[in-house]
Amino acid sequence: MVTPLEDQQVLAGRIVGHWTRGAGGGYNPNRREALEQIRIHATLEEAVQDVGRQEGGSPKTVATCARPYAEAIGFEDLQRMAMKNDDAYMILMGTAWGLAPEVIDGADYVLSSIGNHATYNHLSVRCAAAIILDRLTAATAR
């Protein structure tokens, strides 16, 4: 999780702490296990370095966006690339207005948008994340 805002870092840390070290961890061990994976960083560069240390190499960054990009790769393309090599991939998702243009431009890849929503192109981040992960893992689950 990346946010330069200190108050949001503190809030995120409190929420994660509740579900990992607090009462929530005992109440829901599965959620605790998932949320123990969260790392909070002030910059994307810090997050990329952290994942690089964990994975033993610099991860490829994949930006997501509701807007169409001419050079965007499809879900199947990303899935093939990920299965073909040992590279780590970070899927970058924004909130509210999406990722900053400089983040999208600096990413290794831009993933095709989820769908063509000409009159309405907003999904909550958790919905978009669920759809993207489902599409990227669908073939491997069969």
Side-chain angles (χ1 to χ4, degrees):
M1 183 175 162
V2 177
T3 179
L5 304 175
E6 289 182 31
D7 60 334
Q8 287 186 2
Q9 293 172 21
V10 170
L11 177 60
R14 284 181 46 216
I15 293 169
V16 170
H18 169 77
W19 290 105
T20 57
R21 298 178 305 278
Y27 174 74
N28 191 331
N30 290 333
R31 185 172 293 164
R32 180 188 68 234
E33 184 179 349
L35 293 180
E36 284 174 341
Q37 305 304 310
I38 292 178
R39 303 292 178 265
I40 302 166
H41 297 286
T43 67
L44 179 57
E45 292 77 22
E46 289 176 11
V48 169
Q49 290 174 356
D50 188 21
V51 171
R53 280 190 298 276
Q54 291 176 40
E55 297 297 323
S58 185
K60 303 290 185 196
T61 55
V62 182
T64 61
C65 184
R67 293 181 303 277
Y69 276 81
E71 298 85 26
I73 62 170
F75 292 93
E76 297 83 13
D77 298 325
L78 180 57
Q79 186 183 56
R80 272 192 296 279
M81 290 186 316
M83 295 186 75
K84 187 169 105 174
N85 58 49
D86 290 331
D87 292 336
Y89 292 84
M90 288 180 68
I91 299 174
L92 310 177
M93 302 182 125
T95 60
W97 296 102
L99 293 170
E102 57 268 18
V103 173
I104 295 172
D105 293 341
D108 294 307
Y109 305 100
V110 177
L111 192 59
S112 295
S113 62
I114 290 174
N116 181 11
H117 308 287
T119 58
Y120 185 75
N121 69 353
H122 176 76
L123 287 173
S124 68
V125 174
R126 88 177 121 195
C127 289
I131 292 167
I132 288 169
L133 293 175
D134 180 70
R135 289 184 182 176
L136 291 174
T137 60
T140 58
R142 293 180 209 156

